[in-house]
Amino acid sequence: MSSDCIFCKIVAGEIPAKVVHRANGIIAIEDVNPQAPVHLLVLPERHVANIAEHTFKGSADEITSLMETAAELGSKHAGGFRLVVNTGADGGQTVDHLHVHVLAGRHMTWPPG
Ligand code: 5GP
Ligand code: ZN
C-alpha cells in the first residue's frame, strides 16, 4: 500500500466507495465523477503506479484479470463500451494507481480530447 494513494485507501476501506466487484486481487468501483451513465474503475488491489510501471514479467495473470474484469463489466451493456487507461501527466492520469476506466451507457465519440 502507498500511504498517500487514494485508491489504496479505498482498497483498505479507509475511504468509502461503491464496490461493484472484488475477486482475485482486483476491485471495481464506481467513479465518483462519472463521465458516462456507467463509469467504473477497475484496479489491482496492490499499488502499481500505472501501466508503464507495471512489471508484466511474472504478473501477466494480474493484467489478464484486470482486463477480463473490465471487459465482463462492460459487456453487461449491450450497446458496447469503452476501456481507457490514462497513463502519465500527458495521458490524463490524475490518480497514480493503475486503473482501467469502463465507460458505457451512451454513444462514445472519437477522437477523445
Ligand atoms: P485518471 O484521471 O487518473 O485516469 O482517473 C482517475 C479517476 O478517479 C477520475 O475519473 C476520478 O473521477 C476518479 N476518482 C478520483 N478520486 C476518487 C475517489 O475518491 N473515489 C472514486 N470512486 N473515484 C475517484
Ligand atoms: Zn495505490
Side-chain angles (χ1 to χ4, degrees), residues 8-80:
C8 281
K9 287 180 178 163
I10 286 175
V11 168
E14 292 169 12
I15 293 177
K18 286 197 175 171
V19 177
V20 299
H21 174 93
R22 190 166 199 163
N24 303 321
I26 303 295
I27 185 170
I29 61 172
E30 290 184 1
D31 196 295
V32 77
N33 182 24
Q35 301 302 311
V38 175
H39 189 170
L40 306 174
L41 303 170
V42 186
L43 47 132
E45 290 183 346
R46 76 179 182 107
H47 184 83
V48 181
N50 60 43
I51 197 70
E53 297 292 323
H54 192 276
T55 317
F56 290 91
K57 208 170 184 180
S59 52
D61 287 355
E62 184 176 66
I63 293 297
T64 301
S65 294
L66 194 69
M67 295 308 280
E68 191 173 41
T69 303
E72 280 174 6
L73 291 169
S75 296
K76 291 180 179 175
H77 305 280

Side-chain angles (χ1 to χ4, degrees), residues 102-113:
V102 181
L103 297 151
R106 67 166 169 82
H107 184 74
M108 306 291 156
T109 57
W110 194 265

Side-chain angles (χ1 to χ4, degrees), residues 6-7 10 29-33 86 92-95 99 101:
I6 292 170
F7 288 174
I10 286 175
I29 61 172
E30 290 184 1
D31 196 295
V32 77
N33 182 24
N86 295 325
Q93 185 175 12
T94 58
V95 177
H99 53 280
H101 294 259

